[in-house]
Amino acid sequence: MHFINGIINIFYPKACGICGSINKYDICPKCMRKLNEIKQCKKHIYLKRSFTDEMYIFKYEDIVRSCFIKYKFGEQNYRYKAFANFMIKDKKICGFLKKYDIIIPVPISKTRKRQRGYNQSELIIKECTKLDKDIKVCTNILYKIKNTKPQSSLNKEQRKINIQGAYIIKNNEIINNKKILLFDDIYTTGSTLEECAKVLRQAGAYEVSVLTFAKD
């Protein structure tokens, strides 16, 4: 097996998901240090939202923004491993993930997934479960049934209207009286996360919190 892996690495060497340098890590030591320097890990409590609190890891700017644009829109899906590795190796973030019974990545519509080829949030959080088996992720509960306009093209009020009725719950017995963590890539106005949290609470979730990789 080691021999086969060695041959694979010769022809398909690993590249850092942040800077792109060839090395044996999904995220190189230099980029790991850089991300640790700029991480925020700030938490906010909400009283008038369907989710009770929200934590984001980075501000959506500089190196994080450029990497996510390439990851999300530039067909560079290999970058998800770097994002997941950073999360798991951070004790605060990993501890936050383990507080919840179930983690649900915010889904995208079938049409959008077919166009992009992957759900960017799902790839990251599923990789986290591979790196730590104590983290439970479910992708058979929350579904997006409407191919809405991209939220990034709309203002705050338009986003609320655009996303209404876009999500449904299946297998709601799984989340009954459970503490749920919603994971998404970017937090902007929170309209998408509010709609997702609302349907989860209506379906019987005891508590819903939010974790995003970056906040705009």
Side-chain angles (χ1 to χ4, degrees), residues 64-102:
V64 173
R65 185 175 186 277
S66 64
C67 282
F68 249 94
I69 289 173
K70 292 171 185 175
Y71 169 55
K72 195 170 179 177
F73 304 111
E75 299 182 354
Q76 296 183 9
N77 63 338
Y78 69 91
R79 292 178 182 271
Y80 76 91
K81 290 190 175 183
F83 304 139
N85 268 271
F86 181 85
M87 291 168 63
I88 287 299
K89 289 178 181 178
D90 187 286
K91 290 182 179 179
K92 184 175 182 178
I93 300 168
C94 193
F96 190 71
L97 291 171
K98 291 181 179 180
K99 283 175 54 181
Y100 297 89
D101 299 312
I102 298 169

Side-chain angles (χ1 to χ4, degrees), residues 101-137:
D101 299 312
I102 298 169
I103 303 173
I104 299 177
V106 170
I108 58 178
S109 68
K110 288 182 178 180
T111 301
R112 190 65 50 78
K113 191 170 185 178
R114 192 162 52 246
Q115 292 169 343
R116 185 175 295 156
Y118 53 92
N119 176 342
Q120 68 281 355
S121 299
E122 184 179 320
L123 280 184
I124 295 170
I125 203 65
K126 276 190 170 181
E127 182 68 11
C128 288
T129 68
K130 291 179 183 179
L131 299 171
D132 192 320
K133 301 300 182 183
D134 291 333
I135 297 169
K136 184 179 180 182
V137 173

Side-chain angles (χ1 to χ4, degrees), residues 8-32:
I8 291 172
N9 286 333
I10 290 173
F11 292 98
Y12 302 98
K14 277 189 177 181
C16 173
I18 305 300
C19 69
S21 64
I22 303 300
N23 65 94
K24 62 181 179 179
Y25 304 105
D26 291 309
I27 176 169
C28 71
K30 183 178 179 180
C31 287
M32 183 66 83

Side-chain angles (χ1 to χ4, degrees), residues 85-200:
N85 268 271
F86 181 85
M87 291 168 63
I88 287 299
K89 289 178 181 178
D90 187 286
K91 290 182 179 179
K92 184 175 182 178
I93 300 168
C94 193
F96 190 71
L97 291 171
K98 291 181 179 180
K99 283 175 54 181
Y100 297 89
D101 299 312
I102 298 169
I103 303 173
I104 299 177
V106 170
I108 58 178
S109 68
K110 288 182 178 180
T111 301
R112 190 65 50 78
K113 191 170 185 178
R114 192 162 52 246
Q115 292 169 343
R116 185 175 295 156
Y118 53 92
N119 176 342
Q120 68 281 355
S121 299
E122 184 179 320
L123 280 184
I124 295 170
I125 203 65
K126 276 190 170 181
E127 182 68 11
C128 288
T129 68
K130 291 179 183 179
L131 299 171
D132 192 320
K133 301 300 182 183
D134 291 333
I135 297 169
K136 184 179 180 182
V137 173
C138 287
T139 57
N140 64 338
I141 296 169
L142 184 63
Y143 293 85
K144 189 173 185 183
I145 57 172
K146 291 183 180 180
N147 186 35
T148 55
K149 294 179 181 178
Q151 292 285 79
S152 58
S153 66
L154 306 173
N155 62 36
K156 186 175 182 179
E157 290 305 314
Q158 289 171 330
R159 288 178 186 223
K160 289 181 182 178
I161 297 169
N162 184 51
I163 209 71
Q164 285 177 359
Y167 298 93
I168 63 167
I169 301 293
K170 295 181 181 180
N171 304 310
N172 59 303
E173 68 279 0
I174 299 174
I175 61 168
N176 191 41
N177 288 320
K178 294 291 195 299
K179 292 175 65 177
I180 307 297
L181 180 65
L182 273 171
F183 176 74
D184 205 4
D185 54 352
I186 312 298
Y187 185 109
T188 304
T189 65
S191 297
T192 296
L193 292 159
E194 168 62 22
E195 187 68 17
C196 290
K198 183 179 74 175
V199 296
L200 285 166

